[in-house]
Every structure is written in structure tokens, then in C-alpha cells.
């Protein structure tokens, strides 16, 4: 047998064994099960034992897992609570975007990045991925006001960060014209209107004619999810925005404890989300930590800023609206995880020559640390 594994059956079979055994091991160690695939990815990935490669198959299944996370977050968002407390989501979203952005720009300038690179670097800290949301959903507290605040704020935070990415990459290519801004604004607005207003009518019409056929309805939901993600790419946004909007559009048509919702959760949690976690772990290179004292200092500083800025945003929001310490920690747990959008911005910045390898390494460390910290906090304080 040759390593890394190349045969698709061996790759898939080995991954499924990881998804079975590592959560059990984490349970024995009293560590949240969701962290298991991340640690497994570090061990078996290209920077570990080199049993698995982070090839196109792993990346594809991982991307599907991420889209499922955002889609389910949109499906389970308490829309009535969000409408009632939307100002809380807006405040948290703005704080969670602006505080990390400002601190990130200052760190970028300290690292001698250009102003354009520093702004893009700051937007890395602004994003977050709802990696701890599956734990919140499983514990049955998705309708809590604090959770609604965090999830609603995520849409605003990630949308602003990804719009910054589109603008800065346009500037680096010399395309920053009035026409560019008009296209971006109009296309984004049209996309949101189509997904949020056309999809419900289409869903209502389809469900009336589906005769409650489980497979047909499930495939329809998948089609909505991935078509919305695909269209968002053409608009110039990341697919995670389309997935979240698709979840919002279907929110009132898929019952929380109905058979269709159970199928969606089962498919996501049993297969695709673990693949996403595994792919995140594979990015980690522990050798980076000991490469040089300067690198270690940079990584430590970036990690502190990434975590501390989200903690500050959570603390201010909790103080303003009187959330308990437990609720504050849940908001922090949901918003501190840097993964998909962070990685997307970093890789695009690297491709355009705005970031160097040192930045890439530091961001991957941040992804690892926060992907362990966020789910842990959500599991612990969500249970409380």
C-alpha cells in the first residue's frame, strides 16, 4: 500500500473510520466530538503522517460540508426573533466586523504590509464561520436570543468582509471604476432579492405537487442550496453567502422537527461536516511553530488579535443588551471560529501577491486554534 492513499475507496473508507473513532476518543477525553476530525486531519494529513492528501476530493466534500453549516444556520434562525431583535444582530455584526478590521490593519502595517494589503489583512480577522453551530443545534438552544444575535450578525460580518475582498482584488487589478461598484451593488441586491423572494414561491409550488415524497423534496432542497451557492460565485460573492440566504428563504417551509429537516441534519452531520473539519486539520503544519522566534511572535500576536477582537465584540454586545455570562460565551464561541471565509480571503490575497508565506502560515495557526476553541465553548456553554 502506497501513501498518501490514491484509491477513492481507500480514501473514503479511511475517512469514515476517522469519523467513527475520533469522536469516541474525544468523548473519552471529555473533549467536544466536533474537534476530533480536526485533530485527525493534523495527524493523517500532508504535514503529519501523510496518509491522506488534501486533494480535490477532500476539498470538494469539505466545501459541501461548509455550505451545509451555513444552510442549516439559515434554516434554524428564529426569523420572528431576528425581526424583533434585528438591531442586536446589526450592532454585533458591525462590532464583530469593525473591531477586528481596525486591529488587523494596525498589525498589517506593523508587519510592513502596504495599505491595500493591510486592509485585506484586517478583513481576515473580521470573518467568522459558525463551526460551533452544530453543537448549538443539537443542544436545542438555536432559538436563544444570544444565538439569534450571533447568527444574524454573521451574515452582515461575512458579507462586508467578502465585499471588501471583491473591492480590494479589483483595486489590485486596476478595475476599481464606477462601473465596477455599480455592478457589484446591483448584482448583489438582485441576487438577494431573487433568493429571498422567488425561492419561497417556488418552494410552496413544488411542495404542493411533491406528494410528500421524501427523496424528491430532499433533492429539491439540495438544488436550491447549490444553485444559490453557484449563482453567488457569478455575482462575485463566496458560496457561503448564497447557502445562508437559501436557508433563510426555506426557513418557514421546512419544519424544525419534521422528517425533511432530520434528513438534512443527518446528511450534514454524519458525512459532509466531518469532511470539512478534516480538511481544515490537514492545513496545519506544526513545523511552522518552531521555524523561527520572529515567526512565533507574529503567529502569537495575530492569534491574540483574532481571538481578542471577537471577545471584545461579544462583551460589548452582551453589556449593551444584558446577556448573561453564559450567553456571552456562546456568542463568542460562535463568532471566534475562523475558517472558510478567512481561508478564502487569505488564499486570494496570496495569489494576488498581497500576502507572503509567513502570513499564510500564521492564518492557518489561527484557523486551527479557533476551530478548536469555538466548538469547545459552544458545547460547554450551550449545555449550560
Amino acid at each position: 500500500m502506497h501513501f498518501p492513499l490514491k484509491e477513492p475507496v481507500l480514501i473514503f473508507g479511511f475517512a469514515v473510520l476517522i469519523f467513527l473513532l475520533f469522536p469516541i476518543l474525544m468523548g473519552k477525553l471529555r473533549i467536544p466530538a466536533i474537534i476530533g476530525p480536526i485533530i485527525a486531519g493534523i495527524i493523517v494529513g500532508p504535514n503529519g503522517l501523510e496518509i491522506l492528501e488534501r486533494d480535490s476530493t477532500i476539498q470538494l466534500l469539505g466545501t459541501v460540508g461548509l455550505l451545509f453549516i451555513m444552510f442549516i444556520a439559515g434554516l434554524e434562525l428564529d426569523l420572528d426573533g431576528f425581526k424583533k431583535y434585528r438591531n442586536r444582530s446589526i450592532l454585533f455584526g458591525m462590532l464583530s466586523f469593525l473591531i477586528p478590521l481596525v486591529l488587523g490593519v494596525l498589525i498589517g502595517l506593523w508587519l510592513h504590509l502596504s495599505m491595500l494589503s493591510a486592509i485585506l489583512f484586517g478583513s481576515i480577522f473580521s470573518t467568522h464561520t459558525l463551526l460551533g453551530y452544530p453543537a448549538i443545534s443539537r443542544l436545542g438552544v438555536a432559538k436563544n436570543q444570544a444565538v439569534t444575535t450571533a447568527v444574524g450578525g454573521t451574515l452582515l460580518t461575512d458579507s462586508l468582509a467578502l465585499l471588501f475582498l471583491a473591492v480590494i482584488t479589483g483595486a489590485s487589478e486596476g478595475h476599481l471604476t464606477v462601473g465596477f461598484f455599480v455592478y457589484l451593488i446591483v448584482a448583489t441586491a438582485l441576487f438577494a432579492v431573487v433568493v429571498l423572494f422567488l425561492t419561497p414561491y417556488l418552494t410552496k409550488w413544488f411542495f404542493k405537487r411533491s406528494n410528500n415524497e421524501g427523496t424528491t423534496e430532499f433533492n429539491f432542497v439540495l438544488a436550491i442550496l447549490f444553485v444559490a451557492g453557484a449563482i453567488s460565485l457569478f455575482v462575485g460573492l463566496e458560496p457561503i453567502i448564497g447557502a445562508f440566504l437559501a436557508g433563510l428563504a426555506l426557513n418557514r417551509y421546512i419544519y424544525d422537527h419534521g422528517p425533511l429537516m432530520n434528513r438534512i441534519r443527518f446528511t450534514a452531520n454524519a458525512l459532509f461536516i466531518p469532511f470539512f473539519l478534516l480538511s481544515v486539520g490537514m492545513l496545519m503544519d506544526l513545523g511552522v511553530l518552531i521555524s523561527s522566534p520572529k515567526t512565533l511572535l507574529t503567529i502569537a500576536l495575530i492569534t491574540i488579535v483574532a481571538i481578542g477582537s471577537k471577545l471584545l465584540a461579544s462583551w460589548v454586545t452582551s453589556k449593551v443588551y444584558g446577556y448573561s455570562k453564559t450567553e456571552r460565551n456562546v456568542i463568542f464561541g460562535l463568532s471566534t471560529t475562523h475558517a472558510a471565509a478567512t481561508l478564502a480571503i487569505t488564499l486570494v490575497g496570496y495569489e494576488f501577491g498581497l500576502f507572503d508565506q509567513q502570513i499564510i502560515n500564521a492564518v492557518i495557526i489561527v484557523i486551527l486554534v479557533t476551530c478548536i476553541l469555538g466548538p469547545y465553548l459552544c458545547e460547554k456553554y450551550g449545555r449550560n
Side-chain angles (χ1 to χ4, degrees):
M1 187 180 296
H2 298 284
F3 297 106
L5 299 175
K6 299 294 185 183
E7 175 61 42
V9 174
L10 293 177
I11 294 173
F12 196 86
F14 189 76
V16 170
L17 279 176
I18 288 173
F19 304 154
L20 171 65
L21 298 176
F22 268 79
I24 295 175
L25 176 61
M26 295 299 104
K28 297 290 185 183
L29 299 174
R30 298 189 177 183
I31 298 173
I34 197 173
I35 297 174
I38 300 176
I39 296 175
I42 298 171
I43 296 172
V44 306
N47 298 310
L49 299 178
E50 299 185 25
I51 298 175
L52 292 179
E53 269 187 316
R54 194 174 185 271
D55 58 10
S56 57
T57 302
I58 298 291
Q59 292 183 49
L60 170 63
L61 296 173
T63 300
V64 173
L66 172 65
L67 295 183
F68 263 110
I69 290 175
M70 299 302 295
F71 181 62
I72 291 173
L75 282 178
E76 295 185 341
L77 182 67
D78 182 4
L79 288 181
D80 293 327
F82 177 70
K83 289 178 181 177
K84 184 177 180 181
Y85 301 109
R86 61 181 177 273
N87 290 338
R88 303 185 180 197
S89 291
I90 292 172
L91 174 65
F92 174 68
M94 292 305 298
L95 289 174
S96 188
F97 176 76
L98 291 174
I99 294 174
L101 176 69
V102 172
L103 293 177
V105 169
L106 293 175
I107 296 295
L109 295 175
W110 178 75
L111 292 173
H112 305 295
L113 298 178
S114 67
M115 179 55 72
L116 200 63
S117 299
I119 294 174
L120 187 62
F121 183 69
S123 69
I124 289 175
F125 297 101
S126 299
T127 67
H128 57 259
T129 301
L130 296 171
L131 196 59
Y133 189 82
I136 294 296
S137 174
R138 177 169 46 78
L139 293 170
V141 293
K143 304 296 185 183
N144 180 274
Q145 293 178 17
V147 175
T148 300
T149 298
V151 174
T154 297
L155 177 61
L156 178 60
T157 298
D158 282 0
S159 297
L160 288 172
L162 294 171
L163 284 172
F164 262 60
L165 174 62
V167 171
I168 291 173
T169 52
S172 66
E173 292 181 315
H175 297 160
L176 209 60
T177 62
V178 174
F180 172 83
F181 281 106
V182 170
Y183 168 79
L184 187 62
I185 293 171
V186 172
T188 301
L190 286 175
F191 170 62
V193 168
V194 168
V195 173
L196 293 176
F197 293 98
L198 180 61
T199 300
Y201 286 105
L202 180 62
T203 303
K204 192 185 302 182
W205 174 86
F206 185 87
F207 281 179
K208 282 182 179 179
R209 290 160 177 77
S210 66
N211 298 319
N212 293 321
E213 174 59 40
T215 303
T216 303
E217 291 183 349
F218 182 74
N219 286 333
F220 172 80
V221 169
L222 288 185
I224 294 295
L225 164 59
F226 290 104
V227 167
I231 294 175
S232 65
L233 284 172
F234 291 101
V235 174
L237 301 173
E238 285 295 310
I240 56 175
I241 301 298
F244 187 80
L245 290 177
L248 289 179
L250 295 176
N251 183 286
R252 296 194 184 278
Y253 300 94
I254 299 178
Y255 300 113
D256 190 41
H257 297 290
L260 181 55
M261 189 64 180
N262 290 336
R263 292 187 187 101
I264 294 169
R265 287 186 179 129
F266 177 82
T267 304
N269 293 323
L271 187 61
F272 292 114
I273 292 176
F275 263 110
F276 172 66
L277 301 173
L278 183 69
S279 69
V280 170
M282 287 182 174
L283 290 169
M284 178 61 191
D285 182 2
L286 293 176
V288 171
L289 290 173
I290 55 175
S291 57
S292 72
K294 182 181 178 182
T295 301
L296 194 61
L297 175 62
T298 301
I299 290 172
L301 182 60
I302 290 175
T303 304
I304 290 170
V305 170
I307 295 174
S309 58
K310 294 294 184 180
L311 178 60
L312 181 57
S314 304
W315 182 83
V316 172
T317 304
S318 298
K319 283 294 182 183
V320 170
Y321 294 111
Y323 290 142
S324 68
K325 180 181 178 181
T326 299
E327 289 174 318
R328 182 195 70 202
N329 288 329
V330 167
I331 294 175
F332 174 51
L334 285 169
S335 63
T336 193
T337 306
H338 295 268
T342 299
L343 190 58
I345 293 173
T346 304
L347 294 179
V348 170
Y350 183 71
E351 290 171 3
F352 280 85
L354 299 174
F355 299 149
D356 58 17
Q357 187 61 47
Q358 185 182 16
I359 299 296
I360 297 288
N361 293 338
V363 169
I364 290 173
I365 298 293
V366 169
I367 289 173
L368 172 71
V369 173
T370 58
C371 281
I372 292 174
L373 177 63
Y376 172 79
L377 293 173
C378 289
E379 181 85 28
K380 178 179 179 180
Y381 291 100
R383 190 176 301 279
N384 292 342

